[in-house]
Amino acid sequence: MLTERQLLLLQVIIDDFIDTAHPVGSRVLAKKGTIPFSAATIRNEMADLEELGFLEKMHSSSGRIPSEKGYRYYVDHLIKPVSHNKYRGIVSKLVQEGIYEFEQIVQMSAEILSELTSYTAIILGPEIFETQLKQLQIVPLSSQTAVAVLVTNTGHVEHRMVSLPEAINASDLEKLVNIINQKLVGIPIVKLQNIFYTEMADIMKRYLDDYENSLNYLKAIFLTDYPVKVYVSGTSNMLMQPEFNDIDKVRSFYTLMDKEDELIKLLKDSTPGIEVTIGNENEVEAIKDFSLITSSLRHEEEQIGTIALLGPKRMEYRKVISLLKGLSNEMTNTLYMWYKDKE
Amino acid sequence: MLTERQLLLLQVIIDDFIDTAHPVGSRVLAKKGTIPFSAATIRNEMADLEELGFLEKMHSSSGRIPSEKGYRYYVDHLIKPVSHNKYRGIVSKLVQEGIYEFEQIVQMSAEILSELTSYTAIILGPEIFETQLKQLQIVPLSSQTAVAVLVTNTGHVEHRMVSLPEAINASDLEKLVNIINQKLVGIPIVKLQNIFYTEMADIMKRYLDDYENSLNYLKAIFLTDYPVKVYVSGTSNMLMQPEFNDIDKVRSFYTLMDKEDELIKLLKDSTPGIEVTIGNENEVEAIKDFSLITSSLRHEEEQIGTIALLGPKRMEYRKVISLLKGLSNEMTNTLYMWYKDKE
DNA sequence: TGTTAGCACTCCAACTTCTCGAGTGCTAAT
DNA sequence: ATTAGCACTCGAGAAGTTGGAGTGCTAACA
């Protein structure tokens, strides 16, 4: 329904605004020569585009800036993805070094990402869905405390302090750990809780003197949710963006960044693939002035983590999207190889 | 060398400025009634105090604000520490729950601290000086990779991915781990590197087929420095301080906060006890507008960590210092008990 | 009929000017 | 020694001024 010329115009206006952060006027646009029409014509078209809701003015005699609808159209229809060969291979290079666990790799990728874009990178997870128990170890520290160490097949290590039941003795503890390892190695972490109640209860009853106590003890290890970790990187890069000249925006931005649970909410239920949320499209009030681009990392239909970039609505969508796409693909492949290798 | 009256005046002026962030004028001060003299007299004294370098003016007809020398004098001589009974016991309560490792407790304390003061809390370490190896575990993930897990007597867990040497077989690996655990458990982590070269080399030669390879392999585990961790908490609280109305200050502040190595430099060589650095007293350029209060956590002469508060020069020194002192004592005691218990 | 030049109008941003109040330093009186 | 009084200073904020970049509309043009 938009004419060829309107499309071109919309594209050029948004590109220009993304580049300069200044409202775009007809005169300047005409002078640039990208559009073979006079300023007056451009003005007319601009008025139409505004009527259609793609552009808006800050005040009656300012240039036009893209509306959220405008950005949305731009993202959905006007961007031809550019592939960023330059950065291809970053992840696999990290993997090849062989000294990082998966979580570290995700984190490092995000740092690179925020460096490359000067927006803020936020990473969720990777969650332990689908990762399997490789080994459980319980190391007693004193008579009352021990540390439980859980290693997964992805090289991830979780640990947690636990208090030991009074009655348990060293040999029982050893037996317990052996049973667990025999029975539970290879089981996806998520399913541990179920199995724990069904199969384990029986077995433990048979082998252990102090069944009751041991059970309670294990609960502390397996039945608490392991915390989801959020990494944020590059917040100070973003302060250079002119939209942050407003001190209140800075305040509310950092207040959000400090609330881990809000960030988790932001990234938690992302759908597969790249998803772009512009301004008020997002339900979280605090980022109504921002755009958020998320890409969920998946392994066999399971979401195991999310990489996201948070920036001003005036974001370099073209660059960011292709970058994130590339990175995401690479991560997925890497992930696939990884699991295949470790199984 | 300062008269009684000058001391009183200095005290009141700084207190007032810390409270209101506004330059303090003679008239207002006289009206408040804390000083039984007229505004004119106060003016004269103020002029003297300025000449002595304790006060300064923003411009020729503004009220007085404390100079750095003024703050220094205030901190050194005019503060009578108030004990904060209210918050006593926070740490020991956390410890009693028995489910946190030492590092978590430090971190949580710092969060509380920043919440209580609305300044930024920075914590370094605790470093692994003096903590002893409790157990080493090597869990193979694939034919080429494994994860090495190191548990200390404080309940701290370090882990790292390592690539396995081609030639090594499962039984050798097991032997290796056994040797290490037999020989190295109880050794302070810092000394591992030395012992590794002296004693271990011999032993390994005797027991292992593939001595050369195993040695190289272990290097990766023991000879890399484990990273010092920095936790920062409460940065957004601080934005509410009026000194942060200047956007450039905010920018430079957050740029600093993003540089982990700078922060480490800031806290690394703190002397025992509480140390207050005001503005330019600190060598790090980026915090010349701030004051930093550090308290190093010690165990038997060794610095094992640092808690610090970063705030504007106009800081509530009285409150902050006593709070930090209390917390620090509590931590040290806790630490002492902890080690005693775990040894 | 689509395009363009021209013109009157709008509005912000940046700059100046003005005013006011809170502050000072100095002097003379107490 | 202390204080009251007075002239002076300076910055913060209000009010006014200007210029430029923008618009919308109309009329002329290909």
Side-chain angles (χ1 to χ4, degrees):
Chain A
M1 82 211 178
L2 286 181
T3 69
E4 205 53 37
R5 195 164 68 186
Q6 283 174 325
L7 287 181
L8 175 65
L9 205 49
L10 187 57
Q11 162 120 347
V12 173
I13 290 172
I14 299 187
D15 278 343
D16 194 76
F17 184 70
I18 286 178
D19 193 38
T20 65
H22 292 300
V24 187
S26 57
R27 206 198 256 342
V28 183
L29 217 50
K31 287 251 172 73
K32 272 181 54 177
T34 10
I35 293 158
F37 296 98
S38 78
T41 310
I42 295 177
R43 274 205 288 286
N44 287 330
E45 293 284 28
M46 275 174 151
D48 289 348
L49 282 170
E50 183 174 359
E51 219 157 84
L52 291 167
F54 294 104
L55 297 178
E56 52 190 44
K57 286 185 284 193
M58 317 221 61
H59 55 88
S60 73
S61 78
S62 80
R64 300 304 204 296
I65 62 172
S67 67
E68 291 187 3
K69 184 174 171 190
Y71 281 123
R72 169 54 55 200
Y73 194 88
Y74 176 80
V75 168
D76 288 346
H77 302 108
L78 299 178
I79 291 181
K80 337 169 181 44
V82 189
S83 69
H84 275 263
N85 293 322
K86 267 202 277 182
Y87 310 113
R88 177 117 9 121
I90 291 182
V91 176
S92 48
K93 212 174 285 168
L94 288 177
V95 172
Q96 269 163 33
E97 294 184 39
I99 54 169
Y100 303 111
E101 56 161 303
F102 182 60
E103 201 162 324
Q104 284 177 300
I105 287 177
V106 178
Q107 193 184 345
M108 290 163 89
S109 311
E111 270 164 32
I112 294 168
L113 199 60
S114 75
E115 200 59 47
L116 248 41
T117 57
S118 36
Y119 302 126
T120 296
I122 309 174
I123 334 148
L124 190 66
E127 300 200 56
I128 41 180
F129 295 137
E130 277 302 309
T131 62
Q132 302 162 14
L133 181 64
K134 193 82 191 185
Q135 191 174 88
L136 172 76
Q137 201 68 29
I138 293 177
V139 182
L141 297 176
S142 69
S143 50
Q144 295 110 38
T145 56
V147 51
V149 181
L150 218 144
V151 182
T152 73
N153 62 329
T154 58
H156 181 70
V157 176
E158 286 281 352
H159 66 278
R160 122 160 354 179
M161 294 276 287
V162 288
S163 23
L164 289 174
E166 289 288 325
I168 206 158
N169 58 44
S171 92
D172 263 8
L173 189 62
E174 205 175 309
K175 237 190 263 174
L176 188 62
V177 172
N178 280 339
I179 294 176
I180 293 173
N181 276 320
Q182 266 171 45
K183 268 294 167 190
L184 297 187
V185 162
I187 305 288
I189 301 275
V190 235
K191 295 190 188 146
L192 279 182
Q193 303 198 1
N194 289 334
I195 296 194
F196 180 74
Y197 271 121
T198 54
E199 299 185 28
M200 289 305 290
D202 286 349
I203 298 174
M204 280 171 54
K205 228 176 218 159
R206 230 182 305 153
Y207 289 101
L208 288 179
D209 296 340
D210 193 2
Y211 161 69
E212 274 294 337
N213 252 327
S214 311
L215 194 71
N216 282 326
Y217 169 52
L218 283 178
K219 270 186 194 162
I221 301 176
F222 288 121
L223 296 193
T224 349
D225 284 325
Y226 284 92
V228 180
K229 276 172 199 137
V230 187
Y231 300 100
V232 176
S233 160
T235 57
S236 68
N237 291 336
M238 202 147 89
L239 289 185
M240 302 308 160
Q241 304 284 349
E243 11 275 290
F244 279 95
N245 283 343
D246 180 359
I247 195 104
D248 285 325
K249 267 196 190 164
V250 177
R251 291 212 172 101
S252 69
F253 171 68
Y254 274 107
T255 307
L256 174 66
M257 289 300 128
D258 266 10
K259 289 188 197 137
E260 227 177 50
D261 46 330
E262 287 280 314
L263 294 183
I264 292 174
K265 204 162 75 186
L266 220 48
L267 305 197
K268 192 100 189 180
D269 331 287
S270 63
T271 53
I274 300 257
E275 194 178 1
V276 180
T277 346
I278 297 158
N280 290 292
E281 290 176 7
N282 200 301
E283 282 161 19
V284 175
E285 180 68 15
I287 67 160
K288 68 186 204 327
D289 279 336
F290 298 85
S291 281
L292 180 72
I293 306 193
T294 62
S295 168
S296 77
L297 299 176
R298 312 221 141 218
H299 177 68
E300 289 173 1
E301 308 304 310
E302 286 282 1
Q303 177 182 358
I304 58 163
T306 308
I307 308 187
L309 268 177
L310 182 66
K313 280 196 284 195
R314 185 187 59 80
M315 220 188 203
E316 291 190 72
Y317 294 98
R318 197 197 311 276
K319 177 178 164 192
V320 165
I321 288 176
S322 57
L323 214 55
L324 208 57
K325 245 180 202 155
L327 192 66
S328 199
N329 277 340
E330 223 183 309
M331 300 278 306
T332 310
N333 291 341
T334 307
L335 216 58
Y336 181 74
M337 300 297 282
W338 188 299
Y339 277 88
K340 209 168 145 192
D341 186 38
K342 303 278 151 69
E343 254 160 22
Chain B
M1 79 210 185
L2 287 180
T3 69
E4 205 53 36
R5 195 165 68 187
Q6 283 173 325
L7 289 181
L8 175 65
L9 205 49
L10 188 57
Q11 162 118 345
V12 173
I13 290 172
I14 299 187
D15 278 343
D16 193 76
F17 184 70
I18 286 178
D19 193 39
T20 66
H22 292 299
V24 186
S26 56
R27 202 194 266 326
V28 182
L29 218 49
K31 287 250 173 72
K32 272 181 52 176
T34 12
I35 292 158
F37 295 97
S38 78
T41 311
I42 294 176
R43 275 205 288 286
N44 288 330
E45 294 284 28
M46 275 174 151
D48 290 347
L49 282 170
E50 182 174 1
E51 221 158 83
L52 291 167
F54 293 103
L55 296 179
E56 51 188 47
K57 286 184 284 193
M58 317 223 60
H59 55 88
S60 73
S61 78
S62 81
R64 301 303 205 294
I65 62 171
S67 67
E68 291 188 2
K69 186 176 170 188
Y71 282 124
R72 168 54 56 199
Y73 193 89
Y74 176 80
V75 168
D76 288 345
H77 303 107
L78 299 178
I79 291 180
K80 336 170 182 42
V82 189
S83 69
H84 276 262
N85 293 321
K86 264 203 278 182
Y87 309 114
R88 179 113 11 117
I90 291 182
V91 176
S92 48
K93 212 174 284 167
L94 288 177
V95 172
Q96 270 162 32
E97 293 185 39
I99 53 168
Y100 303 110
E101 57 161 303
F102 183 60
E103 202 162 325
Q104 284 177 300
I105 287 178
V106 178
Q107 193 184 345
M108 290 164 89
S109 311
E111 269 164 33
I112 294 168
L113 200 59
S114 75
E115 200 58 49
L116 249 40
T117 58
S118 35
Y119 303 126
T120 296
I122 308 173
I123 334 148
L124 189 67
E127 300 200 55
I128 41 180
F129 297 136
E130 277 302 309
T131 63
Q132 301 161 15
L133 181 64
K134 193 82 190 184
Q135 191 176 89
L136 173 76
Q137 201 69 29
I138 293 177
V139 182
L141 298 175
S142 68
S143 49
Q144 296 109 39
T145 55
V147 52
V149 182
L150 218 144
V151 182
T152 74
N153 62 329
T154 58
H156 181 69
V157 176
E158 286 280 353
H159 65 278
R160 121 161 354 178
M161 293 278 286
V162 288
S163 24
L164 288 174
E166 289 287 327
I168 206 159
N169 58 45
S171 92
D172 263 5
L173 190 61
E174 204 175 311
K175 237 190 265 175
L176 188 61
V177 173
N178 280 339
I179 295 176
I180 292 173
N181 276 321
Q182 266 171 44
K183 269 292 166 188
L184 298 187
V185 163
I187 305 287
I189 301 273
V190 235
K191 296 190 187 145
L192 280 183
Q193 302 199 1
N194 290 333
I195 296 192
F196 180 74
Y197 270 121
T198 54
E199 298 183 29
M200 290 304 291
D202 286 351
I203 298 173
M204 280 172 54
K205 228 176 218 159
R206 231 182 305 153
Y207 290 101
L208 288 178
D209 296 341
D210 193 1
Y211 161 70
E212 273 295 337
N213 251 328
S214 312
L215 194 71
N216 282 326
Y217 169 52
L218 283 178
K219 271 186 194 162
I221 300 176
F222 288 121
L223 297 192
T224 349
D225 286 323
Y226 284 92
V228 179
K229 275 172 202 139
V230 187
Y231 300 99
V232 176
S233 160
T235 57
S236 67
N237 290 338
M238 200 145 90
L239 289 185
M240 302 310 161
Q241 303 286 347
E243 10 275 291
F244 279 95
N245 283 342
D246 180 359
I247 194 107
D248 284 325
K249 267 196 190 163
V250 178
R251 292 212 172 100
S252 68
F253 171 68
Y254 274 106
T255 307
L256 173 66
M257 288 301 128
D258 266 8
K259 288 187 196 139
E260 231 180 47
D261 46 331
E262 288 280 314
L263 294 182
I264 292 175
K265 203 162 75 185
L266 219 50
L267 305 196
K268 191 102 189 178
D269 329 291
S270 64
T271 52
I274 299 257
E275 194 178 1
V276 179
T277 344
I278 298 158
N280 289 292
E281 291 175 5
N282 200 299
E283 282 161 21
V284 176
E285 180 68 15
I287 66 160
K288 68 185 204 327
D289 278 336
F290 298 84
S291 281
L292 181 72
I293 306 193
T294 61
S295 168
S296 75
L297 299 176
R298 312 220 141 218
H299 178 66
E300 291 174 1
E301 306 305 309
E302 286 282 1
Q303 177 183 359
I304 57 162
T306 308
I307 308 187
L309 268 177
L310 182 66
K313 281 196 284 194
R314 185 188 60 80
M315 218 187 203
E316 290 190 73
Y317 293 99
R318 198 196 311 276
K319 177 177 165 193
V320 165
I321 288 176
S322 58
L323 214 55
L324 207 57
K325 245 179 201 157
L327 191 66
S328 197
N329 276 341
E330 222 183 310
M331 301 278 306
T332 309
N333 292 341
T334 308
L335 215 58
Y336 181 74
M337 301 296 282
W338 188 298
Y339 276 87
K340 210 168 144 194
D341 186 39
K342 303 278 151 69
E343 254 161 23

